Amino acid sequence: MAPNKMIATLKEKAAAVQVVVTEIQDLHEAFNYAIDLTRKQGGAAMAAPGWDDASLAALRTGCAQAGLALLAENLREHLAEIHTGLTWADWGIAETGTLVLDSSSEDLRLASMLSETHVAVLPTSKVLATAGDLEEEMKRLMQSPPNYLAFITGASRTADIERVLTLGVHGPLELHLLLLKD
Amino acid sequence: MINTAQNLKEYKKRLKKALDNKFLGTTLGNFASAYKEAQGRIFAGVDVPGLIREIAAGKDAALPRLEELYEAFKTKAEAAGVKVHLAATALAANEIIARIAQDSGVKKVVKSKSMTAEETFLNDHLEREGLEVVETDLGEWIIQLRREGPSHMVMPAIHLSRQEVAELFTKVTGQTQEPDIEKLVKVARKELRKAFLEADMGISGANFAIAESGALGILSNEGNARLTTTLPRVHVALVGVDKLVPDLATALRILKVLPPRATGQIITSYVSWITGPNECPPGPGGKKEMHIVFLDNGRLALARDPVFSQALRCVRCGACANVCPIYAQVGGHNYGHVYIGAIGLILTYFYHGRKNDRAIVQNCLNCQACKAVCPAGIDLPHLIKETYCEVLKGEEKLPLKNRVLKRVLKDRRLFHFLLRRASLAQKPWTRKEGFLRHLPFFFGQEHEFRSLPVIARVPFRDLWSRMYQKVDHPRYRVALFGGCLVDFVYPEQGVALLKLLKDRQVQVEYPLGQTCCGLPAKMMGEKEVAREVALQNLTALDPGHYDYILTLCASCGSHIKEAYPKLLGADPGARVKVEQMLGKLIDFSSFMTNVLKVKAERFKQGKKQVAYHSPCHLCRGMGVTAAPRELLGIAGLEYVPAKDEDVCCGMGGTFSLDFPELSARLLEQKLDNVAATGAGLLVTDCPGCVLQLRGGMDKRGGKVQVKHIAEVVAEEIKE
């Protein structure tokens, strides 16, 4: 599949499971997006595990200006506080609209599981056509345990009562995908 | 507590109650429609049969190697720091998990969904050991609070309304909760979040255990499996040994079909691949204490069984329930024990015993909808009947119908003699339209939903000698397999066929040694009788003499195709003949359309509107879907599609006698769908369906005529 086609498919399939997809040019856009969203939703804290020092510095400034707490590590100490989880996604799978996160770090898992809103940044170069295209990479990860690899497709959902689709049972109520051109 | 009916009388009482539950019927009916639509959408352009074949072949290759896969998995997982256990029985699994809890000082447990834990009744065991266990899947939590078992493998609380859930949550939280689904979900989020944060141990199931890496794959929509495997310091996964797959590729292949077949999703919201104990600060050394308990509970022996090993291909998607017309009427609590749906009727016998299975296992139409949808290609209707055979072995006394069948069916002369006597005996009770005026005295009120046809005064086999025509230079030599209904109830269908084949250079034979195809015997679990009559038919219709063996009865055709190889496969001579027979077996519509290639100019082109009922045994059993609709067009009839054309009419042979209320409900829905088309004529290609549909139409005083496609097409010939 051509890259453009893959990205278009990813967007379509993600949107079909209520993911809010936005294309961005650089990381500053991502940070501003996450900060604005948190503020708009009335959140007080953002968890941002796995970002490098320069990104964290930028986020820290932005969060401070917006009056938000930034949680970068030891998230287990802040389990009830996380409103937004801002993370990288390692891969995207076009066919199913899936984000793949190597979540071996507990902080990354907590940010993407316990937040009300999960914002994930995915470089467009990391979009693959099918899960099969990720098989070799997955095998490599599984051969060097411990490893916790997460496929995430849309927000947490249930249809357990009367088959009515409802978002946000135990995981995030919203999933936002920021596609970063690279 | 799960309390499954252990005898037919009690079971039928519960079925009746379920049939009166309007909510259940509507919810399940809506789901069935949405589900069907999703299958078409998700798999558009995909070679589904090819995918199913691959999955089946992969499972079949893995099953004889389960012990080897277990050892490989254990080596990898233990090298990563996981403790791997093998539990021989359900009790052993529960005890292992209780001991882990005790050794690690666990007080509170959260669980994500695991059918295997339902199988072992793990919660009860852990609670008896003094542990607090909270289910975290919304549906599982609801049924845990109600002390019920799941009514579906992936949608455990689908039998409950929002009002019922609101009442329950009001009780649990001590605050009034509105019957608003979104709000109810939030209640669960809040309540269960507390449980997650307090738990010392998380228990999950797993969908895949990958031998090459020691990794687990876990599917979830709510995200509770992720929290269960992340927050508590101890993680125990309880996994059936049948979930072992050799490699990741196999798991990814199953992942392509499991969510679509389960809920109609392309993929679940979350798939977690966990290899070894991951970072977990409260755990020993900052890592999770991780255990994987594999459950045998009969699986390793089942894997070696020549017939039943197929049941272990199951990937627990619940599709066999999703498409089952009976499940859609009565729900999972009346259609299984712990495991529900078609696979539940089979697994209950092996995992939870004969008594829990002996009533439910009989509740199968053999409509083959489950077989057609199963992503692992399990021949579910066949295994259900095989299970019933096993169940019967434990009965002190065989049902009366079995005793009669055993005596009568094997002896064709006696069988046909009795049919002729019945034809004479019924004379005073015959109505003009070919129906019995009253049902015989031994039929109860519940059988009154359809009029029953009379047995023909002159059976087809007696007409045959008068109608036989020698063809000098035939293009095709065709043996007609009539089946009991064409022969003794609806000979006019055979006569219509002869009219259509006249002057077509087809030499038709009706070998008089033919007898019942044996399907009723199979339905009743009488394999020996089924085998006996199969041999008689094979002798009577020696395929060496004919180009085609044509049948007007889809049920007979499907039974010959599906069951004869299984019944006679071990008999070297007969096996060859059976295979030859299958190569020549053809249904009426396919013969007319694809072999004779009949042309429109032979027909009147009257443009009469017709609705069509697609017999289970034709569209799924014999795989014929296009030919009959095409033939209707050629014959100048205007085919008007109806809703759910390929859903069973409720006949199911002897099923309609065993479960008349269910049969009546399916028939009612079928006739409602037909009525909605506005067509004045309903056509089908199975005399069994004709019996059911015509009888039901007469009873409701409907104006729609019901006919076999051969009759209708014959009537349209230009004179």
Side-chain angles (χ1 to χ4, degrees):
Chain A
M1 213 189 280
N4 278 347
K5 176 92 194 333
M6 282 196 294
I7 290 164
T9 307
L10 176 73
K11 284 164 73 176
E12 180 203 323
K13 297 290 179 186
V17 285
Q18 296 84 27
V19 179
V20 182
V21 187
T22 309
E23 290 188 44
I24 57 169
Q25 302 301 323
D26 56 38
L27 280 181
H28 278 282
E29 248 185 273
F31 302 156
N32 290 337
Y33 183 100
I35 290 167
D36 285 348
L37 188 65
T38 309
R39 250 203 335 211
K40 242 184 269 167
Q41 294 180 342
M46 183 195 297
W51 294 92
D52 62 16
D53 291 345
S55 300
L56 275 181
L59 269 170
R60 199 159 277 133
T61 314
C63 282
Q65 280 169 1
L68 302 177
L70 179 71
L71 311 166
E73 52 189 8
N74 298 328
L75 294 185
R76 208 173 251 273
E77 309 296 315
H78 306 277
L79 294 176
E81 297 162 39
I82 307 166
H83 177 87
T84 305
L86 175 66
T87 72
W88 283 105
D90 295 291
W91 296 277
I93 299 172
E95 185 181 47
T96 49
T98 301
L99 305 181
V100 183
L101 275 72
D102 180 350
S103 317
S104 304
S105 132
E106 191 187 68
D107 280 341
L108 197 74
R109 253 176 290 153
L110 295 175
S112 63
M113 288 177 192
L114 288 174
S115 53
E116 303 287 298
T117 300
H118 179 199
V119 181
V121 181
L122 174 69
T124 49
S125 62
K126 293 296 194 70
V127 179
L128 305 165
T130 68
D133 296 332
L134 195 61
E135 190 186 327
E136 288 310 311
E137 193 64 49
M138 286 176 73
K139 271 189 182 173
R140 255 197 299 283
L141 290 170
M142 287 172 176
Q143 291 299 344
S144 47
N147 183 267
Y148 197 118
L149 193 73
F151 281 19
I152 301 177
T153 313
S156 157
R157 67 192 53 225
T158 188
D160 271 353
I161 305 176
E162 293 189 16
R163 298 294 306 139
V164 175
L165 176 68
T166 315
L167 295 183
V169 201
H170 296 301
L173 286 80
E174 292 183 18
L175 175 61
H176 293 250
L177 167 60
L178 305 181
L179 275 171
L180 176 66
K181 286 210 171 118
D182 67 336
Chain B
M1 279 291 87
I2 299 181
N3 165 14
T4 299
Q6 307 210 337
N7 61 67
L8 265 188
K9 202 172 158 206
E10 170 61 23
Y11 185 41
K12 286 188 182 187
K13 249 193 254 169
R14 296 191 197 182
L15 291 174
K16 202 163 174 328
K17 211 171 138 203
L19 283 172
D20 291 337
N21 180 341
K22 289 244 161 42
F23 167 79
L24 194 64
T26 312
T27 312
L28 297 177
N30 290 347
F31 174 62
S33 302
Y35 178 82
K36 216 184 260 183
E37 182 274 327
Q39 300 310 307
R41 178 165 38 79
I42 294 174
F43 289 118
V46 176
D47 172 21
V48 180
L51 192 54
I52 292 175
R53 268 197 304 277
E54 274 181 44
I55 289 169
K59 278 276 184 183
D60 287 350
L63 287 176
R65 298 173 49 212
L66 281 183
E67 276 109 331
E68 184 193 319
L69 294 177
Y70 168 74
E71 289 303 331
F73 182 95
K74 186 176 154 102
T75 305
K76 284 286 183 181
E78 293 200 327
V82 181
K83 282 223 175 75
V84 179
H85 314 254
L86 179 59
T89 64
L91 177 63
N94 293 347
E95 284 173 343
I96 290 169
I97 296 171
R99 200 165 52 239
I100 296 168
Q102 200 182 13
D103 292 349
S104 305
V106 168
K107 298 268 180 300
K108 296 188 175 187
V109 178
V110 282
K111 263 185 77 220
S112 59
K113 200 170 157 28
S114 159
M115 278 310 295
T116 313
E118 296 283 350
E119 176 184 329
T120 68
F121 301 104
L122 176 62
N123 290 3
D124 296 342
H125 186 95
L126 296 182
E127 282 170 1
R128 279 197 297 271
E129 297 286 318
L131 292 157
E132 188 188 320
V133 187
V134 179
E135 291 285 352
T136 61
D137 173 86
L138 175 57
E140 287 282 335
W141 189 50
I142 293 171
I143 61 164
Q144 184 191 28
L145 293 171
R146 287 173 58 98
R147 316 290 302 171
E148 285 179 347
S151 74
H152 188 282
M153 287 202 278
V154 271
M155 298 165 290
I158 191 174
H159 58 292
L160 297 172
S161 69
R162 66 190 78 187
Q163 284 79 9
E164 286 167 300
V165 177
E167 273 168 39
L168 178 70
F169 283 10
T170 300
K171 235 186 276 169
V172 169
T173 60
Q175 289 165 339
T176 309
Q177 305 293 349
E178 294 168 47
D180 173 314
I181 292 177
E182 199 143 323
K183 286 183 185 159
L184 292 170
V185 170
K186 293 290 171 292
V187 171
R189 180 181 175 95
K190 203 172 126 216
E191 292 293 319
L192 292 172
R193 191 59 73 89
K194 277 187 267 176
F196 277 122
L197 298 180
E198 289 169 3
D200 318 290
M201 177 189 268
I203 300 176
S204 74
N207 300 89
F208 314 110
I210 304 172
E212 67 177 358
S213 54
L216 296 178
I218 306 175
L219 276 62
S220 118
N221 272 316
E222 300 182 0
N224 59 322
R226 284 155 48 87
L227 290 169
T228 300
T229 57
T230 294
L231 287 171
R233 60 188 159 81
V234 184
H235 172 208
V236 178
L238 175 60
V239 188
V241 284
D242 51 320
K243 296 291 171 60
L244 281 159
V245 293
D247 47 32
L248 177 64
T250 308
L252 289 176
R253 192 160 59 210
I254 295 171
L255 184 61
K256 280 191 211 171
V257 294
L258 177 48
R261 285 299 199 238
T263 55
Q265 292 171 281
I266 304 181
I267 190 167
T268 46
S269 301
Y270 304 107
V271 184
S272 305
W273 306 93
I274 306 174
T275 322
N278 279 274
E279 188 189 343
C280 180
K287 283 197 170 184
K288 180 83 73 185
E289 179 185 336
M290 186 174 174
H291 300 262
I292 300 175
V293 181
F294 281 98
L295 178 67
D296 175 358
N297 204 23
R299 288 167 171 79
L300 293 175
L302 196 52
R304 289 187 292 268
D305 189 280
V307 175
F308 291 103
S309 64
Q310 244 192 48
L312 287 182
R313 287 186 194 161
C314 176
V315 298
R316 303 283 187 270
C317 64
C320 55
N322 295 345
V323 300
C324 174
I326 299 173
Y327 168 83
Q329 302 301 330
V330 301
H333 283 159
N334 295 301
Y335 210 61
H337 180 63
V338 168
Y339 293 105
I340 62 104
I343 191 70
L345 304 190
I346 300 157
L347 293 183
T348 296
Y349 173 74
F350 290 103
Y351 298 160
H352 298 109
R354 199 182 69 82
K355 282 187 186 163
N356 283 315
D357 203 36
R358 65 191 283 259
I360 58 175
V361 73
Q362 299 180 52
N363 197 0
C364 170
L365 283 156
N366 188 31
C367 78
Q368 313 214 354
C370 51
K371 179 182 176 180
V373 80
C374 176
I378 305 173
D379 192 346
L380 291 151
H382 173 61
L383 291 192
I384 289 170
K385 292 306 166 204
E386 289 286 329
T387 306
Y388 184 44
C389 291
E390 296 303 308
V391 165
L392 279 181
K393 287 180 192 166
E395 296 292 319
E396 274 173 31
K397 202 170 159 197
L398 283 180
L400 174 68
K401 63 180 194 299
N402 288 52
R403 283 179 276 148
V404 173
L405 178 108
K406 270 185 135 138
R407 171 77 185 83
V408 172
L409 205 63
K410 278 197 237 179
D411 184 342
R412 184 187 65 76
R413 284 172 206 281
L414 173 64
F415 176 47
H416 286 172
F417 169 77
L418 289 174
L419 284 169
R420 287 172 197 273
R421 289 308 287 262
S423 162
L424 291 176
Q426 74 196 0
K427 239 178 169 171
W429 292 284
T430 302
R431 273 201 278 140
K432 222 172 44 212
E433 302 83 357
F435 292 113
L436 286 175
R437 204 175 300 145
H438 307 290
L439 294 187
F441 68 93
F442 47 86
F443 281 92
Q445 188 68 39
E446 66 275 18
H447 294 275
E448 292 284 352
F449 67 96
R450 65 177 175 200
S451 308
L452 282 182
V454 295
I455 293 169
R457 206 169 45 79
V458 186
F460 184 75
R461 58 179 56 236
D462 293 358
L463 296 174
W464 173 249
S465 55
R466 285 178 248 159
M467 300 188 68
Y468 178 77
Q469 283 184 333
K470 177 104 182 67
V471 177
D472 283 340
H473 303 288
R475 270 198 301 166
Y476 305 112
R477 294 163 304 154
V478 172
L480 172 62
F481 185 81
C484 306
L485 282 177
V486 169
D487 203 343
F488 285 91
V489 179
Y490 301 125
E492 63 273 19
Q493 297 174 3
V495 173
L497 172 78
L498 296 182
K499 179 180 168 191
L500 281 163
L501 297 186
K502 203 172 167 227
D503 306 326
R504 301 299 311 234
Q505 289 175 279
V506 178
Q507 178 62 62
V508 186
E509 301 285 347
Y510 192 74
L512 293 173
Q514 64 179 282
T515 184
C516 169
C517 68
L519 178 57
K522 187 181 164 92
M523 289 290 285
M524 289 186 213
E526 294 296 343
K527 237 192 300 187
E528 197 31 57
V529 180
R531 192 184 129 77
E532 182 66 36
V533 291
L535 270 174
Q536 290 173 19
N537 284 323
L538 198 60
T539 309
L541 283 87
D542 184 339
H545 295 156
Y546 309 106
D547 300 311
Y548 288 100
I549 292 164
L550 191 155
T551 172
L552 294 169
C553 178
S555 290
C556 299
S558 163
H559 177 69
I560 290 170
K561 178 177 166 230
E562 301 276 323
Y564 280 24
K566 294 187 184 103
L567 291 165
L568 304 175
D571 183 333
R575 191 163 122 190
V576 178
K577 289 282 181 191
V578 167
E579 278 184 33
Q580 287 176 313
M581 192 176 210
L582 298 199
K584 297 178 177 186
L585 187 68
I586 194 163
D587 64 286
F588 166 76
S589 297
S590 300
F591 185 75
M592 297 300 288
T593 313
N594 305 334
V595 178
L596 288 190
K597 299 190 170 65
V598 286
K599 295 277 181 299
E601 54 261 28
R602 286 177 60 95
F603 298 96
K604 292 185 258 187
Q605 302 302 318
K607 299 292 169 204
K608 233 186 269 169
Q609 287 201 328
V610 293
Y612 177 66
H613 164 65
S614 192
C616 302
H617 294 150
L618 188 73
C619 66
R620 289 179 289 273
M622 299 183 81
V624 176
T625 52
R629 292 168 173 95
E630 210 178 306
L631 181 60
L632 291 175
I634 295 168
L637 297 156
E638 194 187 319
Y639 156 58
V640 194
K643 185 177 174 244
D644 292 340
E645 267 173 8
D646 61 352
V647 173
C648 183
C649 63
M651 173 68 183
T654 50
F655 176 90
S656 63
L657 298 175
D658 293 335
F659 297 97
E661 288 101 342
L662 271 171
S663 177
R665 176 63 63 84
L666 295 175
L667 176 58
E668 183 191 333
Q669 293 184 350
K670 173 61 67 176
L671 294 180
D672 286 348
N673 290 335
V674 169
T677 65
L681 184 58
L682 171 59
V683 178
T684 188
D685 13 21
C686 179
C689 304
V690 169
L691 185 153
Q692 173 88 341
L693 298 166
R694 195 183 281 173
M697 193 59 84
D698 180 68
K699 208 65 176 185
R700 64 151 71 185
K703 294 282 169 273
V704 182
Q705 280 192 302
V706 181
K707 287 190 174 174
H708 191 285
I709 191 167
E711 296 174 87
V712 172
V713 173
E715 283 166 14
E716 294 303 307
I717 290 183
K718 282 184 193 158
E719 299 299 339

